[in-house]
Amino acid sequence: AAEKFEHVILSTGFCSVNDLVGLSDVLRRNVGPRFTVCHCTSAYPTAAASAQLNMLKILKKYFSEYELGFSDHTQSPLAGAVAAAFGVKFIEKHFTDDVTRRGPDHKASFDFLRMTEFVSYIRQAEILVGEVPRPKDQPYDFELPNFQLMRRTPVSRTAIERGQPLKINDIDWVRPCIDSNAAKYVNSVPNPIAKTNINKGDILNSINIENAS
């Protein structure tokens, strides 16, 4: 039957882990990547402690090639935002004009004001999660204005003669960061000695220190 549809949204309410394993096998054999698999707790409404959004990690394991979703029956405006932080791309939430109407579905639904709040939190979560990986060789661009101010530079706490070993107490770490490579170099030298005569306050780097041979 699924083959008749362009895209199928599948809810996992009432499913055991064994059911999920069997379902994942069926999807891979017969359907292909046209499914959105939604975590769902089939309680109306769902208590916050029963939402079990950590199950999204399990769904990622068994349905890694499919889009993940969340069928939300909680009364929490934050549930969708938490699901978004887990990486879901589809969220289902029931809407009603009056949550006091008779019937279990209305209690698990949001009216206009609550739905507006619900969506707002989801959009904020998407922004907070972000999509930009940390660069390999530098901080984020938006961190650079504070990089020099907050990082520290190693400087000599006292005058050191050429050939003299450097001890921890010989080094001060001061702001601002004048030489971003100095700290990396100093920390990479296991047995540093002065390559040249070093004055108090000099920046310590590859020019004036080396590893003892």
Side-chain angles (χ1 to χ4, degrees):
E3 296 175 355
K4 298 178 181 179
F5 297 95
E6 183 175 328
H7 194 96
V8 177
I9 297 169
L10 177 69
S11 176
T12 58
F14 300 115
C15 287
S16 66
V17 171
N18 288 338
D19 292 333
L20 296 177
V21 173
L23 179 60
S24 66
D25 291 340
V26 171
L27 294 185
R28 290 186 180 92
R29 288 198 307 267
N30 300 299
V31 181
R34 298 187 295 107
F35 265 73
T36 296
V37 182
C38 296
H39 168 58
C40 173
T41 302
S42 295
Y44 306 88
T46 299
S50 301
Q52 297 298 305
L53 286 169
N54 265 321
M55 269 300 298
L56 287 164
K57 296 178 181 178
I58 306 297
L59 292 184
K60 284 182 180 180
K61 175 181 177 181
Y62 290 115
F63 302 97
S64 58
E65 66 267 55
Y66 299 103
E67 182 180 77
L68 289 185
F70 175 43
S71 179
D72 180 26
H73 303 126
T74 72
Q75 295 174 315
S76 170
L78 295 176
V82 176
F86 274 98
V88 305
K89 301 300 182 183
F90 172 87
I91 296 176
E92 177 225 356
K93 184 69 183 177
H94 293 204
F95 176 81
T96 182
D97 62 345
D98 186 354
V99 296
T100 65
R101 288 182 183 272
R102 294 180 62 184
D105 197 56
H106 293 285
K107 292 183 176 64
S109 304
F110 281 165
D111 60 19
F112 178 79
L113 290 178
R114 293 283 277 176
M115 187 66 80
T116 300
E117 182 183 31
F118 181 74
V119 173
S120 175
Y121 283 138
I122 292 170
R123 296 293 176 250
Q124 291 181 58
E126 290 171 336
I127 293 170
L128 288 166
V129 170
E131 296 182 349
V132 181
R134 183 171 284 278
K136 183 178 181 179
D137 56 354
Q138 67 173 38
Y140 285 117
D141 289 343
F142 42 79
E143 290 180 313
L144 291 177
N146 289 320
F147 178 83
Q148 187 175 23
L149 177 64
M150 301 300 292
R151 286 287 184 95
R152 296 175 183 267
T153 301
V155 300
S156 177
R157 182 175 290 176
T158 184
I160 303 171
E161 294 182 359
R162 179 181 177 181
Q164 181 179 333
L166 271 74
K167 303 180 181 63
I168 292 178
N169 291 336
D170 293 329
I171 304 173
D172 268 335
W173 295 86
V174 300
R175 289 172 173 154
C177 178
I178 301 170
D179 183 347
S180 61
N181 292 317
K184 295 178 183 178
Y185 179 76
V186 168
N187 287 324
S188 71
V189 179
N191 300 298
I193 62 172
K195 187 191 297 187
T196 65
N197 290 330
I198 301 173
N199 297 317
K200 179 180 179 180
D202 282 356
I203 295 174
L204 301 174
N205 53 32
S206 59
I207 296 174
N208 52 25
I209 67 171
E210 62 185 351
N211 191 44
S213 56

